[in-house]
Amino acid sequence: MNIEQLKGIGPKNQALLHKLDINTVEDLLGYYPYRYSFINIINLNEATSTEPIYVKGTIATVPKVSYIRKNFNYLSFVATVNEKLVNVKIFNRAFLKNILTVGKAIVLLGKYDYLKNSFMASEIKFNVQDKSIEPHYHLISGLKESMLIKWVDTALAQNLNIADHVPDYYNEKYEFIAKKDAVNLIHRPRTMADIKKAKLKLIYEELFDYTFKINVLKLKNEKVLGLKHQFNREEITDFLANLTFKLTEDQVTAIEDILNDMQDEKRMNRLVLGDVGSGKTIVAIISALANYLSGYQTAFMAPTEILAKQHYETIKNYFANTNLKLLLLTGHMRAKEKQAAYAKIQNHEVDIIIGTHALINDNVVFAKLGLVVIDEQHLFGVKQRNALQEKGNVGPDVLYLSATPIPRSYALCLYGDLDLSLIKTKPHRRKEVITKVKKEKEIKDVLFKMLEEIKAGHQIFVVSPLIDESEESNLNSVKKLQEKLNTAFNNQVNISIIHGKMKQTEKDTIMNDFLAGEIKILISTTVIEVGIDIPNATMMVIFNAERFGLAALHQLRGRVGRNDLTSYCYLISDHDNARLKVMEESTDGFYISEKDFEQRGQGDLFGIKQSGDITFKLANIKNDHKILFQASQDSAQFLKSEAYLANPYYQKILDDIMFLD
Ligand code: ADP
Ligand code: MG
């Protein structure tokens, strides 16, 4: 049923809904609330001045509007609440003045100050039951929640039959409620238990669907033929013999896996999972070499320009004594340079092309693409992954590199379509980063250490995480931190800020200045560019460290200690210090992410953004990992038993993935 057919939605609002990808009534019903507020009306006597409460009353005086400045006003009036006259104030509700007539029944949300007998309200409601749950939906400009609630009510009243994608067998096995009931309850729950029941069903459905696709992809990848690379392994052995270091055991195994894949006629789809600094680059370089020896070109894709440049320099060094030709392709190149680069790629004048997304531009035509390397693969979505794979006539082999040290069980659910090589051991040469957990009041020690490092000519990363939902106040808190540090260091140290809202070019400029050593301390609001190598950075200071999962802290810490110097990581926090102590204990990412799971019953899964290839409406891969594991197992079983043959929905998914490339 098209959304146009639903009563009460005009063309303007239809356009708004289309923006949210809501085209049918079913889509609208699939637009689930993202949170709820629980309304529990209490007596004023039970109020504490710290907690927001709901109270019921009536308007006793005509509201007065006071303007403070443009777009900033407040409304004040007296209300009778539990037989008491209370002064009420609420900001920016001037428009309610004429609605709030004397004698009107209202429900107020806010805080009550007993001594002043004043109620600072944040919301005024009408027609509310004593106990109820209100859904909240993600909104866009022009779309009001009240409208959405009305439309959803109308849609629910249609009593449509909504397709249930959980196979009957599992519905019975887990005693899930019917899809239709789940949809009703997720939008209009009466109790917490309603929300729980509905979520369980809908989350399982989502994860079953996702993991079914992964399992089908896995099946497909087992069968898809690729290039059969032919090269002389001795040449690779010779190259390895000339390295200045000895490969670790896991590096050797990973290389072995990859070379076998490449020589096989099956198309390689391999993910190398290894901690930061575990030495994934050399593994990729060896595969590029094998690819070159087989007569093919390699596309080496990095998530940012800086990383692409860094890889280019590294690879150039490794191949300095060979005939291999490299090319760096970036989005910033001038049109003329780009044209020249495209020509070189098309004429096979270059063997390894290193770049960013620019590599999957339609203008890039490879003469003979044999291997695609995708660094930090979680930053690319499935669509981009496919676009690149389709570049060759017969699909090239694909190698993904990721520094997300997630437990194998997780990786199998989320990336089960890829073969896995884990690099757990680290090169011996690497020094452990000395890690200390400090309380806010011990900040002097930290500043002292910072100064010491700066004096020694080193550089420092400072991370100050998201404190508030609003971008602006975040930025303010970071700017305050910059001021504080400037004061502490007498304005003698060059300190810069980098944050998520900046344009990529701005970020690149700052990162380049940091790389060049002009900036001494870099404060970032979000996470520092994945994988960036600043060899001279020897210290990482993380404020409000309790806000990060251990795996994320580990990833951040990996930004330092990338040299022969002793490096330090200071975690500043007044909470949760027992958990943070794990960071003092170990520098093994896999160990840390396992610990994170143990302690909190959930991992941090840093880097796996719920975007791109992994988007769920309700499921949260961190919190819902038990359902994820179960659904993954069930969908694999479902596929294997061929039960999907009797299920048109899954039959179609299978056909789409297997046969329509
Ligand atoms: P990552 O896995 O984070 O991409 P890199 O590949 O950048 O790690 O390697 C980090 C550093 O370790 C590089 O300077 C690299 O030359 C060095 N390295 C890699 N393998 C070894 C090894 N087996 N022994 C010593 N150093 C190594
Ligand atoms: Mg790397």
Side-chain angles (χ1 to χ4, degrees):
M1 188 172 166
N2 277 340
I3 203 80
E4 283 77 16
Q5 293 166 264
L6 202 66
K7 242 180 42 208
I9 309 183
K12 217 169 117 193
N13 289 327
Q14 284 163 17
L16 278 177
L17 290 175
H18 290 323
K19 271 196 203 162
L20 289 169
D21 247 339
I22 298 175
N23 302 309
T24 65
V25 177
E26 287 81 357
D27 291 343
L28 179 62
L29 291 176
Y31 198 70
Y32 304 137
Y34 74 99
R35 71 176 180 91
Y36 302 89
S37 44
F38 300 86
I39 300 182
N40 188 6
I41 295 173
I42 64 168
N43 193 296
L44 208 54
N45 299 331
E46 301 164 37
T48 63
S49 58
T50 48
E51 293 293 314
I53 51 164
Y54 283 99
V55 293
K56 208 171 179 171
T58 50
I59 309 268
T61 62
V62 177
K64 210 177 94 199
V65 180
S66 312
Y67 287 95
I68 300 165
R69 57 172 189 269
K70 202 177 161 233
N71 295 330
F72 194 42
N73 57 66
Y74 66 87
L75 202 61
S76 47
F77 56 88
V78 177
T80 317
V81 180
N82 305 123
E83 280 142 34
K84 189 171 174 177
L85 290 173
V86 177
N87 297 309
V88 181
K89 202 166 165 180
I90 183 164
F91 285 106
N92 286 336
R93 295 296 196 287
F95 59 89
L96 284 181
K97 181 177 163 39
N98 295 327
I99 300 171
L100 299 174
T101 49
V102 173
K104 192 171 175 81
I106 50 166
V107 165
L108 295 170
L109 168 64
K111 286 184 188 170
Y112 178 60
D113 186 327
Y114 194 85
L115 292 175
K116 293 186 186 153
N117 186 31
S118 69
F119 197 97
M120 180 52 86
S122 58
E123 251 181 87
I124 300 183
K125 292 176 183 293
F126 314 99
N127 310 322
V128 181
Q129 274 131 27
D130 282 7
K131 265 194 181 142
S132 64
I133 300 180
E134 272 193 358
H136 296 288
Y137 298 88
H138 282 299
L139 301 171
I140 52 172
S141 159
L143 185 65
K144 274 202 259 165
E145 192 157 69
S146 57
M147 307 196 296
L148 203 50
I149 288 176
K150 211 171 67 198
W151 301 333
V152 169
D153 279 336
T154 318
L156 287 171
Q158 304 290 314
N159 208 16
L160 294 179
N161 214 350
I162 302 164
D164 189 340
H165 296 152
V166 176
D168 294 343
Y169 175 80
Y170 297 107
N171 268 327
E172 281 162 31
K173 182 174 172 188
Y174 301 121
E175 297 177 357
F176 286 138
I177 59 173
K179 171 75 174 271
K180 197 166 151 185
D181 297 336
V183 170
N184 261 301
L185 293 183
I186 198 89
H187 286 291
R188 301 292 174 263
R190 287 171 307 269
T191 61
M192 273 298 279
D194 283 351
I195 299 175
K196 223 173 144 184
K197 270 190 291 191
K199 273 195 170 172
L200 189 64
K201 160 75 179 210
L202 298 172
I203 288 172
Y204 180 87
E205 184 187 47
E206 266 189 320
L207 294 174
F208 188 94
D209 190 287
Y210 174 81
T211 55
F212 181 81
K213 286 175 188 150
I214 292 285
N215 283 313
V216 175
L217 271 173
K218 181 182 166 76
L219 197 69
K220 177 181 175 179
N221 288 345
E222 276 164 15
K223 292 186 181 147
V224 172
L225 294 187
L227 301 166
K228 203 170 157 157
H229 286 84
Q230 286 176 329
F231 52 89
N232 186 346
R233 285 221 184 188
E234 259 172 45
E235 291 193 57
I236 294 188
T237 317
D238 288 348
F239 182 85
L240 291 176
N242 283 324
L243 289 180
T244 53
F245 51 78
K246 195 171 166 289
L247 292 176
T248 63
E249 218 172 288
D250 287 350
Q251 281 174 318
V252 172
T253 313
I255 290 173
E256 225 15 70
D257 289 344
I258 291 165
L259 297 183
N260 288 341
D261 282 355
M262 289 178 76
Q263 287 180 318
D264 195 283
E265 60 185 5
K266 199 189 101 181
R267 183 204 282 183
M268 171 164 77
N269 259 302
R270 184 169 289 279
L271 168 63
V272 176
L273 264 185
D275 216 342
V276 177
S278 61
K280 294 182 293 296
T281 315
I282 185 66
V283 172
I285 287 173
I286 300 298
S287 3
L289 175 62
N291 187 50
Y292 163 77
L293 293 172
S294 316
Y296 289 101
Q297 291 169 299
T298 300
F300 203 118
M301 196 150 90
T304 65
E305 302 236 333
I306 297 184
L307 263 176
K309 265 183 220 150
Q310 241 173 30
H311 277 314
Y312 174 77
E313 295 300 332
T314 309
I315 299 172
K316 204 167 79 179
N317 278 334
Y318 276 110
F319 290 132
N321 301 319
T322 69
N323 293 326
L324 248 118
K325 298 214 171 40
L326 303 192
L327 177 81
L328 177 67
L329 184 70
T330 66
H332 284 163
M333 282 163 67
R334 272 174 284 139
K336 243 190 177 161
E337 286 178 290
K338 271 189 199 160
Q339 289 309 326
Y342 296 154
K344 280 186 185 164
I345 297 169
Q346 196 159 8
N347 299 330
H348 206 158
E349 287 166 41
V350 284
D351 304 301
I352 302 183
I353 301 94
I354 300 137
T356 58
H357 300 68
L359 273 189
I360 50 173
N361 185 309
D362 275 342
N363 294 322
V364 185
V365 180
F366 292 87
K368 246 184 127 185
L369 183 62
L371 173 70
V372 176
V373 177
I374 302 182
D375 195 17
E376 307 301 349
Q377 58 87 27
H378 54 267
L379 296 182
F380 292 105
V382 142
K383 270 199 193 134
Q384 285 167 314
R385 272 157 49 170
N386 282 343
L388 201 66
Q389 284 185 16
E390 281 160 17
K391 286 256 153 179
N393 293 333
V394 180
D397 280 349
V398 188
L399 183 66
Y400 302 95
L401 310 178
S402 175
T404 317
I406 54 173
R408 182 180 268 274
S409 51
Y410 244 114
L412 287 177
C413 292
L414 299 171
Y415 302 117
D417 53 323
L418 311 174
D419 290 312
L420 275 184
S421 296
L422 294 191
I423 306 190
K424 287 192 166 201
T425 47
K426 267 192 214 162
H428 294 302
R429 192 183 63 88
R430 272 179 75 89
K431 283 200 179 166
E432 306 271 286
V433 178
I434 297 171
T435 303
K436 295 207 166 121
V437 180
K438 292 274 177 190
K439 289 216 186 296
E440 201 66 72
K441 63 173 193 251
E442 298 169 294
I443 192 78
K444 280 228 164 75
D445 301 349
V446 184
L447 292 173
F448 183 78
K449 187 73 209 160
M450 285 173 83
L451 198 57
E452 223 174 67
E453 288 304 305
I454 297 287
K455 277 186 179 157
H458 303 151
Q459 289 163 280
I460 301 172
F461 284 111
V462 173
V463 176
S464 174
L466 298 170
I467 302 295
D468 201 285
E469 297 258 320
S470 93
E471 285 289 337
E472 221 161 286
S473 68
N474 265 319
L475 208 52
N476 283 339
S477 75
V478 175
K479 279 185 181 148
K480 276 203 191 104
L481 181 60
Q482 185 186 27
E483 276 167 32
K484 262 193 221 162
L485 291 177
N486 271 329
T487 312
F489 300 135
N490 252 333
N491 292 315
Q492 297 294 306
V493 178
N494 189 354
I495 304 173
S496 275
I497 296 177
I498 195 166
H499 60 86
K501 275 281 155 102
M502 282 178 168
K503 286 204 205 99
Q504 189 60 43
T505 49
E506 273 178 279
K507 285 197 244 177
D508 282 350
T509 309
I510 292 182
M511 284 314 287
N512 275 323
D513 288 350
F514 192 51
L515 191 60
E518 275 155 37
I519 296 169
K520 296 296 176 197
I521 300 179
L522 184 65
I523 309 177
S524 82
T525 55
T526 47
V527 171
I528 298 148
E529 302 264 0
V530 186
I532 190 86
D533 228 352
I534 311 281
N536 195 41
T538 53
M539 190 169 180
M540 165 76 58
V541 182
I542 302 173
F543 286 88
N544 294 94
E546 77 282 352
R547 291 187 174 252
F548 289 103
L550 295 182
L553 290 174
H554 172 71
Q555 193 104 9
L556 286 170
R557 181 171 61 182
R559 302 286 123 240
V560 296
R562 314 198 114 220
N563 45 40
D564 294 326
L565 306 163
T566 303
S567 294
Y568 304 87
C569 175
Y570 280 75
L571 304 175
I572 301 168
S573 175
D574 284 345
H575 319 269
D576 217 6
N577 291 26
R579 185 174 69 92
L580 296 174
K581 289 274 177 197
V582 174
M583 299 299 295
E584 290 182 353
E585 272 166 38
S586 172
T587 53
D588 173 355
F590 288 97
Y591 170 83
I592 289 170
S593 82
E594 295 278 3
K595 272 270 170 209
D596 213 11
F597 266 80
E598 271 170 39
Q599 290 184 350
R600 302 195 297 168
Q602 62 170 74
D604 184 67
L605 296 189
F606 173 76
I608 301 187
K609 289 197 188 138
Q610 297 215 17
S611 64
D613 42 344
I614 308 180
T615 41
F616 300 113
K617 282 197 270 187
L618 282 179
N620 175 315
I621 48 178
K622 298 176 201 170
N623 302 331
D624 303 320
H625 67 281
K626 280 196 187 129
I627 308 178
L628 173 69
F629 292 165
Q630 191 61 55
S632 173
Q633 212 178 315
D634 293 347
S635 64
Q637 184 57 36
F638 181 68
L639 182 63
K640 207 167 125 205
S641 70
E642 303 197 341
Y644 65 87
L645 289 172
N647 186 318
Y649 177 77
Y650 288 105
Q651 173 78 65
K652 182 168 180 331
I653 290 181
L654 186 102
D655 285 349
D656 286 352
I657 294 179
M658 292 301 259
F659 306 115
L660 305 173
D661 219 17

PDB file of all heavy atoms in Angstrom, residues 245-248 251 275-282 318 427 429 562, ligand 1:
ATOM      1  N   PHE A 245      64.125  -7.335   8.277  1.00  0.00           N
ATOM      2  CA  PHE A 245      63.640  -8.017   9.485  1.00  0.00           C
ATOM      3  C   PHE A 245      63.132  -9.400   9.121  1.00  0.00           C
ATOM      4  O   PHE A 245      62.942  -9.725   7.956  1.00  0.00           O
ATOM      5  CB  PHE A 245      62.544  -7.200  10.161  1.00  0.00           C
ATOM      6  CG  PHE A 245      61.426  -6.779   9.242  1.00  0.00           C
ATOM      7  CD1 PHE A 245      60.437  -7.684   8.870  1.00  0.00           C
ATOM      8  CD2 PHE A 245      61.371  -5.481   8.725  1.00  0.00           C
ATOM      9  CE1 PHE A 245      59.403  -7.303   8.029  1.00  0.00           C
ATOM     10  CE2 PHE A 245      60.340  -5.096   7.870  1.00  0.00           C
ATOM     11  CZ  PHE A 245      59.363  -6.012   7.521  1.00  0.00           C
ATOM     12  N   LYS A 246      62.919 -10.189  10.162  1.00  0.00           N
ATOM     13  CA  LYS A 246      62.401 -11.538   9.972  1.00  0.00           C
ATOM     14  C   LYS A 246      60.894 -11.504  10.197  1.00  0.00           C
ATOM     15  O   LYS A 246      60.420 -10.912  11.147  1.00  0.00           O
ATOM     16  CB  LYS A 246      63.076 -12.463  10.998  1.00  0.00           C
ATOM     17  CG  LYS A 246      62.931 -13.923  10.704  1.00  0.00           C
ATOM     18  CD  LYS A 246      63.828 -14.741  11.661  1.00  0.00           C
ATOM     19  CE  LYS A 246      63.453 -16.202  11.628  1.00  0.00           C
ATOM     20  NZ  LYS A 246      62.169 -16.510  12.249  1.00  0.00           N
ATOM     21  N   LEU A 247      60.167 -12.143   9.309  1.00  0.00           N
ATOM     22  CA  LEU A 247      58.710 -12.140   9.451  1.00  0.00           C
ATOM     23  C   LEU A 247      58.282 -12.916  10.694  1.00  0.00           C
ATOM     24  O   LEU A 247      58.929 -13.889  11.072  1.00  0.00           O
ATOM     25  CB  LEU A 247      58.053 -12.779   8.226  1.00  0.00           C
ATOM     26  CG  LEU A 247      58.160 -12.033   6.907  1.00  0.00           C
ATOM     27  CD1 LEU A 247      57.540 -12.857   5.781  1.00  0.00           C
ATOM     28  CD2 LEU A 247      57.491 -10.672   6.992  1.00  0.00           C
ATOM     29  N   THR A 248      57.194 -12.486  11.290  1.00  0.00           N
ATOM     30  CA  THR A 248      56.668 -13.249  12.423  1.00  0.00           C
ATOM     31  C   THR A 248      55.950 -14.485  11.883  1.00  0.00           C
ATOM     32  O   THR A 248      55.609 -14.554  10.706  1.00  0.00           O
ATOM     33  CB  THR A 248      55.657 -12.418  13.244  1.00  0.00           C
ATOM     34  OG1 THR A 248      54.534 -12.115  12.406  1.00  0.00           O
ATOM     35  CG2 THR A 248      56.271 -11.143  13.762  1.00  0.00           C
ATOM     36  N   GLN A 251      52.674 -13.730  10.250  1.00  0.00           N
ATOM     37  CA  GLN A 251      52.849 -13.090   8.941  1.00  0.00           C
ATOM     38  C   GLN A 251      53.141 -14.153   7.887  1.00  0.00           C
ATOM     39  O   GLN A 251      52.580 -14.132   6.788  1.00  0.00           O
ATOM     40  CB  GLN A 251      54.003 -12.074   8.975  1.00  0.00           C
ATOM     41  CG  GLN A 251      53.633 -10.739   9.595  1.00  0.00           C
ATOM     42  CD  GLN A 251      54.834  -9.821   9.743  1.00  0.00           C
ATOM     43  OE1 GLN A 251      55.929 -10.262  10.136  1.00  0.00           O
ATOM     44  NE2 GLN A 251      54.657  -8.551   9.443  1.00  0.00           N
ATOM     45  N   ASP A 275      46.259  -6.653  14.644  1.00  0.00           N
ATOM     46  CA  ASP A 275      46.357  -5.483  15.469  1.00  0.00           C
ATOM     47  C   ASP A 275      47.161  -4.374  14.795  1.00  0.00           C
ATOM     48  O   ASP A 275      47.949  -4.640  13.896  1.00  0.00           O
ATOM     49  CB  ASP A 275      47.100  -5.917  16.733  1.00  0.00           C
ATOM     50  CG  ASP A 275      46.559  -5.211  17.924  1.00  0.00           C
ATOM     51  OD1 ASP A 275      45.900  -4.183  17.735  1.00  0.00           O
ATOM     52  OD2 ASP A 275      46.803  -5.703  19.032  1.00  0.00           O
ATOM     53  N   VAL A 276      46.975  -3.168  15.267  1.00  0.00           N
ATOM     54  CA  VAL A 276      47.797  -2.057  14.796  1.00  0.00           C
ATOM     55  C   VAL A 276      49.259  -2.407  15.028  1.00  0.00           C
ATOM     56  O   VAL A 276      49.611  -2.861  16.107  1.00  0.00           O
ATOM     57  CB  VAL A 276      47.450  -0.765  15.580  1.00  0.00           C
ATOM     58  CG1 VAL A 276      48.347   0.377  15.150  1.00  0.00           C
ATOM     59  CG2 VAL A 276      45.999  -0.415  15.381  1.00  0.00           C
ATOM     60  N   GLY A 277      50.081  -2.228  14.009  1.00  0.00           N
ATOM     61  CA  GLY A 277      51.498  -2.489  14.165  1.00  0.00           C
ATOM     62  C   GLY A 277      51.888  -3.944  14.057  1.00  0.00           C
ATOM     63  O   GLY A 277      53.034  -4.321  14.297  1.00  0.00           O
ATOM     64  N   SER A 278      50.947  -4.800  13.684  1.00  0.00           N
ATOM     65  CA  SER A 278      51.275  -6.227  13.599  1.00  0.00           C
ATOM     66  C   SER A 278      51.991  -6.544  12.289  1.00  0.00           C
ATOM     67  O   SER A 278      52.478  -7.655  12.108  1.00  0.00           O
ATOM     68  CB  SER A 278      50.008  -7.067  13.733  1.00  0.00           C
ATOM     69  OG  SER A 278      49.117  -6.766  12.686  1.00  0.00           O
ATOM     70  N   GLY A 279      52.046  -5.569  11.400  1.00  0.00           N
ATOM     71  CA  GLY A 279      52.781  -5.768  10.158  1.00  0.00           C
ATOM     72  C   GLY A 279      51.946  -6.330   9.026  1.00  0.00           C
ATOM     73  O   GLY A 279      52.340  -7.275   8.340  1.00  0.00           O
ATOM     74  N   LYS A 280      50.798  -5.719   8.805  1.00  0.00           N
ATOM     75  CA  LYS A 280      49.937  -6.176   7.717  1.00  0.00           C
ATOM     76  C   LYS A 280      50.422  -5.673   6.362  1.00  0.00           C
ATOM     77  O   LYS A 280      50.232  -6.332   5.343  1.00  0.00           O
ATOM     78  CB  LYS A 280      48.498  -5.694   7.952  1.00  0.00           C
ATOM     79  CG  LYS A 280      47.845  -6.314   9.173  1.00  0.00           C
ATOM     80  CD  LYS A 280      46.422  -5.848   9.347  1.00  0.00           C
ATOM     81  CE  LYS A 280      46.280  -4.382   9.699  1.00  0.00           C
ATOM     82  NZ  LYS A 280      46.864  -4.014  10.991  1.00  0.00           N
ATOM     83  N   THR A 281      51.061  -4.510   6.371  1.00  0.00           N
ATOM     84  CA  THR A 281      51.458  -3.914   5.096  1.00  0.00           C
ATOM     85  C   THR A 281      52.384  -4.824   4.300  1.00  0.00           C
ATOM     86  O   THR A 281      52.180  -5.016   3.104  1.00  0.00           O
ATOM     87  CB  THR A 281      52.145  -2.550   5.343  1.00  0.00           C
ATOM     88  OG1 THR A 281      51.368  -1.836   6.296  1.00  0.00           O
ATOM     89  CG2 THR A 281      52.241  -1.758   4.076  1.00  0.00           C
ATOM     90  N   ILE A 282      53.359  -5.390   4.958  1.00  0.00           N
ATOM     91  CA  ILE A 282      54.309  -6.238   4.233  1.00  0.00           C
ATOM     92  C   ILE A 282      53.595  -7.458   3.646  1.00  0.00           C
ATOM     93  O   ILE A 282      53.922  -7.922   2.551  1.00  0.00           O
ATOM     94  CB  ILE A 282      55.521  -6.645   5.130  1.00  0.00           C
ATOM     95  CG1 ILE A 282      56.569  -7.419   4.321  1.00  0.00           C
ATOM     96  CG2 ILE A 282      55.113  -7.463   6.326  1.00  0.00           C
ATOM     97  CD1 ILE A 282      57.250  -6.601   3.263  1.00  0.00           C
ATOM     98  N   TYR A 318      60.147  -0.437  -0.505  1.00  0.00           N
ATOM     99  CA  TYR A 318      60.304  -1.889  -0.609  1.00  0.00           C
ATOM    100  C   TYR A 318      60.717  -2.321  -2.013  1.00  0.00           C
ATOM    101  O   TYR A 318      61.474  -3.263  -2.175  1.00  0.00           O
ATOM    102  CB  TYR A 318      58.992  -2.595  -0.223  1.00  0.00           C
ATOM    103  CG  TYR A 318      58.834  -2.803   1.256  1.00  0.00           C
ATOM    104  CD1 TYR A 318      57.885  -2.087   1.979  1.00  0.00           C
ATOM    105  CD2 TYR A 318      59.635  -3.728   1.938  1.00  0.00           C
ATOM    106  CE1 TYR A 318      57.728  -2.273   3.334  1.00  0.00           C
ATOM    107  CE2 TYR A 318      59.483  -3.921   3.305  1.00  0.00           C
ATOM    108  CZ  TYR A 318      58.526  -3.194   3.991  1.00  0.00           C
ATOM    109  OH  TYR A 318      58.384  -3.388   5.339  1.00  0.00           O
ATOM    110  N   PRO A 427      55.665  -7.966  15.832  1.00  0.00           N
ATOM    111  CA  PRO A 427      57.117  -7.940  15.633  1.00  0.00           C
ATOM    112  C   PRO A 427      57.809  -7.661  16.972  1.00  0.00           C
ATOM    113  O   PRO A 427      57.356  -6.806  17.720  1.00  0.00           O
ATOM    114  CB  PRO A 427      57.319  -6.777  14.663  1.00  0.00           C
ATOM    115  CG  PRO A 427      56.026  -6.626  13.960  1.00  0.00           C
ATOM    116  CD  PRO A 427      54.973  -7.051  14.927  1.00  0.00           C
ATOM    117  N   ARG A 429      60.538  -6.287  17.679  1.00  0.00           N
ATOM    118  CA  ARG A 429      61.208  -5.014  17.746  1.00  0.00           C
ATOM    119  C   ARG A 429      60.362  -3.945  18.453  1.00  0.00           C
ATOM    120  O   ARG A 429      60.868  -3.022  19.077  1.00  0.00           O
ATOM    121  CB  ARG A 429      61.453  -4.595  16.303  1.00  0.00           C
ATOM    122  CG  ARG A 429      62.355  -3.466  16.037  1.00  0.00           C
ATOM    123  CD  ARG A 429      62.361  -3.231  14.533  1.00  0.00           C
ATOM    124  NE  ARG A 429      61.047  -2.841  14.036  1.00  0.00           N
ATOM    125  CZ  ARG A 429      60.626  -1.589  13.988  1.00  0.00           C
ATOM    126  NH1 ARG A 429      61.397  -0.635  14.412  1.00  0.00           N
ATOM    127  NH2 ARG A 429      59.453  -1.305  13.512  1.00  0.00           N
ATOM    128  N   ARG A 562      55.271   3.810  17.420  1.00  0.00           N
ATOM    129  CA  ARG A 562      55.556   3.284  16.092  1.00  0.00           C
ATOM    130  C   ARG A 562      57.003   3.616  15.700  1.00  0.00           C
ATOM    131  O   ARG A 562      57.280   4.025  14.589  1.00  0.00           O
ATOM    132  CB  ARG A 562      54.575   3.871  15.081  1.00  0.00           C
ATOM    133  CG  ARG A 562      53.148   3.839  15.561  1.00  0.00           C
ATOM    134  CD  ARG A 562      52.185   3.994  14.423  1.00  0.00           C
ATOM    135  NE  ARG A 562      51.421   2.765  14.255  1.00  0.00           N
ATOM    136  CZ  ARG A 562      51.105   2.228  13.089  1.00  0.00           C
ATOM    137  NH1 ARG A 562      51.521   2.766  11.983  1.00  0.00           N
ATOM    138  NH2 ARG A 562      50.398   1.128  13.039  1.00  0.00           N
TER     139      ARG A 562
HETATM  140  P1  ADP B   1      49.933  -2.427  10.525  1.00  0.00           P
HETATM  141  O1  ADP B   1      49.572  -3.862  10.746  1.00  0.00           O
HETATM  142  O2  ADP B   1      49.430  -1.551  11.590  1.00  0.00           O
HETATM  143  O3  ADP B   1      49.560  -1.959   9.146  1.00  0.00           O
HETATM  144  P2  ADP B   1      52.578  -2.037   9.580  1.00  0.00           P
HETATM  145  O4  ADP B   1      52.493  -2.989   8.464  1.00  0.00           O
HETATM  146  O5  ADP B   1      52.508  -0.593   9.252  1.00  0.00           O
HETATM  147  O6  ADP B   1      51.503  -2.384  10.663  1.00  0.00           O
HETATM  148  O7  ADP B   1      53.908  -2.357  10.387  1.00  0.00           O
HETATM  149  C1  ADP B   1      54.332  -1.571  11.453  1.00  0.00           C
HETATM  150  C2  ADP B   1      55.836  -1.477  11.462  1.00  0.00           C
HETATM  151  O8  ADP B   1      56.422  -2.739  11.779  1.00  0.00           O
HETATM  152  C3  ADP B   1      56.427  -1.069  10.131  1.00  0.00           C
HETATM  153  O9  ADP B   1      57.404  -0.111  10.364  1.00  0.00           O
HETATM  154  C4  ADP B   1      57.027  -2.360   9.581  1.00  0.00           C
HETATM  155  O10 ADP B   1      58.129  -2.098   8.767  1.00  0.00           O
HETATM  156  C5  ADP B   1      57.426  -3.088  10.837  1.00  0.00           C
HETATM  157  N1  ADP B   1      57.416  -4.563  10.707  1.00  0.00           N
HETATM  158  C6  ADP B   1      56.514  -5.306  10.056  1.00  0.00           C
HETATM  159  N2  ADP B   1      56.794  -6.631  10.185  1.00  0.00           N
HETATM  160  C7  ADP B   1      57.883  -6.708  10.984  1.00  0.00           C
HETATM  161  C8  ADP B   1      58.665  -7.817  11.493  1.00  0.00           C
HETATM  162  N3  ADP B   1      58.340  -9.076  11.227  1.00  0.00           N
HETATM  163  N4  ADP B   1      59.713  -7.512  12.283  1.00  0.00           N
HETATM  164  C9  ADP B   1      60.042  -6.245  12.560  1.00  0.00           C
HETATM  165  N5  ADP B   1      59.356  -5.169  12.095  1.00  0.00           N
HETATM  166  C10 ADP B   1      58.294  -5.388  11.318  1.00  0.00           C
END
